[in-house]
Amino acid sequence: MAHLSQAEKTLYADYFLRMEAQLGNGDAALSIAEFENLLQAMGFRFTKEQVAAEFIKTDTDQNWKITLEEFLAIMPNVAPPGSPQSIAADIRRKFNENDLNKDGFITFDELKKVLAEANQDKTEEELRTFIKDFIKNWDADGDGKINFEEFLEMYIETELCSGDDDDEENVEVTDNGDADFNQSNPTYIPPK
C-alpha cells in the first residue's frame, strides 16, 4: 500500500480544512458534495459514481461524513503518489493556482500578481519584461494568455523533462537582463 509523504499530507490537509471552512458547517467533516468539491479543487477528475464509491470507502464509520483522518487514510488508494492521476492532479492544481479568476486562462495580470509576491526585489519593468517573454514563449495560439494545454506543454517540457542531467543548466530562470527570478512560489514554472 502506498503512503503519503509529509508534504502530501500537509497539502491534502490544507485543502480539506479550507474546503470545510468554505462549505462545511463547522463539524470538521465533509459531506459527499463537499468531498466531490474537494477532489475537484485538488485537481482530480472523477465521475459522480467514482466520487460516491470513494466516499463510501472513505467513510469508515458510516456516518455519511468524512473526517480529515479518514480522508488522509484513503488518499494513497484514491491517487497513489506518483501515479498518472496524481501527477495530472498536481499539474491541474498548479494551473488553477495561477488562474486567479478561474476562467481557464492565465493572463498577464494574473502572472504579475503571482510573481510579484515571490519577486519583491524586482522592479516593475523587470517583472513586466519577464512576464511578456514568458507569455510569448508559451502562448502557442497567440491569444496573449496561457490556456491549460499550453501550461501542460510548458510543465512537461520544463518540469518533467528537466530531470535529465544534460538539461540542468536549462532550468535556470533568467530575464533579458540575466537577473535570476525567485522560484520560491511552487506554482511558478520557468519559461523556455
Side-chain angles (χ1 to χ4, degrees):
M1 179 170 121
H3 297 283
L4 296 176
S5 69
Q6 189 58 45
E8 289 166 323
K9 284 180 187 176
T10 301
L11 174 74
Y12 292 163
D14 181 53
Y15 269 92
F16 181 96
L17 295 172
R18 279 192 283 159
M19 185 63 60
E20 208 287 320
Q22 289 173 358
L23 301 176
N25 60 6
D27 63 356
L30 301 178
S31 68
I32 192 166
E34 294 162 348
F35 179 64
E36 180 177 19
N37 287 332
L38 173 62
L39 292 173
Q40 273 191 326
M42 293 175 56
F44 295 103
R45 298 294 181 256
F46 293 109
T47 65
K48 293 236 182 252
E49 293 78 19
Q50 290 170 316
V51 170
E54 291 303 330
F55 184 88
I56 290 167
K57 281 191 266 181
T58 304
D59 183 23
T60 55
D61 59 7
Q62 300 177 342
N63 67 351
W64 288 98
K65 291 283 188 174
I66 294 176
T67 65
L68 177 58
E69 291 75 25
E70 288 172 323
F71 178 69
L72 291 177
I74 196 69
M75 280 310 292
N77 298 327
V78 171
S83 69
Q85 190 171 25
S86 178
I87 293 168
D90 183 51
I91 296 169
R92 268 190 224 98
R93 259 193 316 275
K94 288 179 179 173
F95 178 83
N96 291 337
E97 288 169 2
N98 285 287
D99 180 14
L100 302 178
N101 67 2
K102 307 303 179 215
D103 67 352
F105 299 97
I106 300 171
T107 64
F108 178 91
D109 290 336
E110 289 169 324
L111 278 174
K112 185 177 175 189
K113 285 179 186 173
V114 170
L115 293 175
E117 293 174 19
N119 294 285
Q120 294 177 353
D121 60 328
K122 299 299 174 192
T123 67
E124 179 81 14
E125 187 55 36
E126 288 174 320
L127 207 51
R128 283 184 167 294
T129 300
F130 180 78
I131 295 168
K132 283 180 184 176
D133 289 345
F134 179 90
I135 290 174
K136 179 181 161 190
N137 286 333
W138 294 105
D139 179 22
D141 62 11
D143 64 356
K145 48 194 173 182
I146 305 295
N147 62 39
F148 182 75
E149 289 75 20
E150 293 162 340
F151 184 88
L152 180 61
E153 181 181 322
M154 173 190 56
Y155 187 90
I156 289 169
E157 190 171 317
T158 62
E159 293 297 308
L160 299 182
C161 296
S162 69
D164 301 336
D165 290 338
D166 298 337
D167 291 342
E168 282 293 316
E169 67 279 355
N170 294 334
V171 178
E172 180 83 17
V173 178
T174 57
D175 68 1
N176 290 340
D178 205 29
D180 291 338
F181 273 78
N182 183 340
Q183 296 180 46
S184 64
N185 183 338
T187 61
Y188 169 66
I189 308 294
K192 284 185 184 177

